[in-house]
Amino acid sequence: MNNEITIIRPDDWHLHLREGEMLAAVLPSSAKIYGRAIVMPNLTVPVTTAKQAEEYRRRIIDARPEGSNFEPLMTCYLTDSTSAEDIHTAYAVKAFHAVKLFPAGATTNSDNGVTDIKKVYSVLEAMQEIGMPLSVHGEVTDPEVDVFDREAVFIDRVLKPVRENFPELKIIFEHLTSKAGVDYVLEQDENMVATITPHHLLLTRNDLFKGGMNPYMYCLPVAKTFEDREAVRRAAVSGDERFFLGTDSAPHPARAKEKAGAAAGIFNAPTSIGYVTQVFDELNALDKLEGFTSIYGARFYGFSPNGSTITLAKRENPVEMDWQIKVGGDIVKIFKPDTPLLWDLVD
Ligand code: DOR
Ligand code: ZN
């Protein structure tokens, strides 16, 4: 039995760090585990220019714990008014590693998102030309579409036409949650990859309602059926390079989670690598863990794997911790699914 594993230091290819007090409070959790992270641009004022990205990057660097080499990789928030020229300018100074498509109204701080994909076709053209990846929140916002079908419908209504028009455009289908999504990625070529979160490896929609409605299990895209979770798990442990880790760790203060209209987002950074390792262990796939967490994503984004390693150990008793962090006068609760956590980072 394997009770300890050492892997190349992972990267997080999808992370929300926020700003100010929240940034300062959550950053150490990611910096302790991950070498680099693709940082999402959905701030209250979205990151839409090279200048804003550079300013935000500096703020993250300044908030790093003493001695940390954690490297934030910045992204651009795509809006209806983003121009091909904006992309060329940003490319020249290497300001962005990806451009993020939030369909307008799909999730937290997405009001400035794209209202119709055709409006940004000239931007996609420019991105295809220079090799800038498009990071996609893959859900339609049509109120007539069932919330659990929004990923599948997005494939038909948005991804298929985009792939037809821009076959060489690199696309990251973020936080894959459905069998339809997995099957679609599997049918595509190397220009289409997908990130998978720790929570979508663990949760089904039952978790949202277990013991009463639980906003701490609520994120977007929402967790789906057992069959969907199984497809996502199989993809993660398959060793297929197109699937890699993006935690989508998305902190919200308790006051935003514990109310009617609870915010979508799960703060999983502290327990993320432990839970991912645990799922790989359960599926007898620890030999596939390092590729998923530390190699495939780096390769896709054009980086070498990190030069250091981390070690994880399987404990005899569930890991104990204070499952929350303080942020200003409030707290942010750490992702704690029903499954007890056994795998833990060895300091
Ligand atoms: O659950 C989510 N939270 N999904 C997203 O797409 C955004 C994120 C956030 O920023 O809170
Ligand atoms: Zn996200």
Side-chain angles (χ1 to χ4, degrees):
M1 207 164 92
N2 214 341
N3 288 330
E4 205 169 275
I5 184 168
T6 297
I7 53 171
I8 296 170
R9 182 174 293 283
D11 297 304
D12 184 350
W13 299 104
H14 183 133
L15 175 64
H16 298 267
L17 284 174
R18 318 295 191 207
E19 301 166 84
E21 280 181 330
M22 183 66 93
L23 168 64
V26 301
L27 182 58
S29 304
S30 293
K32 189 174 169 192
I33 304 167
Y34 300 97
R36 297 166 286 220
I38 283 280
V39 180
M40 288 296 140
N42 61 330
L43 305 182
T44 328
V45 175
V47 178
T48 56
T49 65
K51 185 163 172 279
Q52 283 171 309
E54 179 50 23
E55 279 166 12
Y56 185 30
R57 197 182 73 84
R58 278 256 62 97
R59 279 186 279 155
I60 298 169
I61 300 270
D62 292 346
R64 288 187 310 202
E66 192 85 21
S68 168
N69 294 318
F70 175 82
E71 195 185 339
L73 307 171
M74 310 316 290
T75 58
C76 167
Y77 187 117
L78 187 59
T79 72
D80 283 352
S81 50
T82 306
S83 69
E85 200 189 324
D86 293 337
I87 300 300
H88 283 294
T89 312
Y91 182 70
V93 294
K94 296 197 166 21
F96 308 136
H97 294 270
V99 173
K100 178 76 190 270
L101 166 66
F102 290 102
T107 188
T108 307
N109 295 340
S110 64
D111 296 350
N112 297 294
V114 173
T115 57
D116 177 357
I117 191 71
K118 291 207 180 68
K119 290 193 176 164
V120 294
Y121 267 17
S122 62
V123 179
L124 301 187
E125 178 89 54
M127 289 169 61
Q128 173 173 255
E129 199 182 309
I130 61 182
M132 171 80 75
L134 178 71
S135 159
V136 167
H137 183 109
E139 288 192 290
V140 292
T141 55
D142 182 346
E144 300 289 306
V145 175
D146 189 289
V147 71
F148 295 102
D149 295 335
R150 287 184 180 177
E151 188 167 285
V153 174
F154 183 86
I155 295 170
D156 288 330
R157 291 196 193 165
V158 183
L159 275 185
K160 284 183 180 167
V162 166
R163 289 281 293 152
E164 266 163 37
N165 284 286
F166 310 101
E168 299 300 319
L169 177 64
K170 291 179 191 299
I171 299 178
I172 308 114
F173 198 160
E174 301 286 355
H175 37 54
L176 213 52
T177 60
S178 65
K179 181 171 185 306
V182 171
D183 289 347
Y184 178 69
V185 173
L186 286 171
E187 286 165 12
Q188 307 301 302
D189 59 24
E190 71 284 355
N191 289 322
M192 169 72 74
V193 299
T195 55
I196 292 176
T197 75
H199 43 285
H200 291 115
L201 288 172
L202 285 151
L203 303 179
T204 68
R205 59 195 188 185
N206 280 11
D207 291 284
L208 276 156
F209 307 108
K210 215 180 272 175
M213 197 182 281
N214 187 347
Y216 288 100
M217 301 295 136
Y218 174 54
C219 63
L220 288 169
V222 70
K224 297 193 169 57
T225 66
F226 285 96
E227 191 190 8
D228 290 310
R229 184 182 66 178
E230 185 59 18
V232 172
R233 285 183 173 183
R234 289 291 148 206
V237 302
S238 64
D240 186 323
E241 299 215 2
R242 290 172 292 177
F243 301 99
F244 48 83
L245 176 64
T247 67
D248 198 15
S249 183
H252 291 277
R255 80 181 121 76
K257 289 295 276 180
E258 297 178 20
K259 62 164 197 169
I266 291 178
F267 175 56
N268 64 21
T271 53
S272 54
I273 197 68
Y275 271 122
V276 170
T277 306
Q278 186 156 322
V279 171
F280 275 65
D281 182 22
E282 274 167 23
L283 298 175
N284 288 316
L286 282 176
D287 59 324
K288 300 290 197 309
L289 180 69
E290 187 178 58
F292 178 75
T293 60
S294 319
I295 298 175
Y296 307 152
R299 207 172 272 164
F300 175 80
Y301 277 98
F303 292 102
S304 299
N306 290 308
S308 57
T309 59
I310 62 165
T311 298
L312 293 128
K314 188 177 190 173
R315 312 295 184 190
E316 279 184 10
N317 297 306
V319 174
E320 285 180 26
M321 68 174 94
D322 195 10
W323 293 79
Q324 60 186 49
I325 59 168
K326 275 207 180 67
V327 181
D330 207 337
I331 56 163
V332 174
K333 290 198 184 167
I334 298 169
F335 178 49
K336 189 174 193 250
D338 259 1
T339 325
L341 178 62
L342 293 175
W343 283 87
D344 194 16
L345 206 61
V346 178
D347 283 315

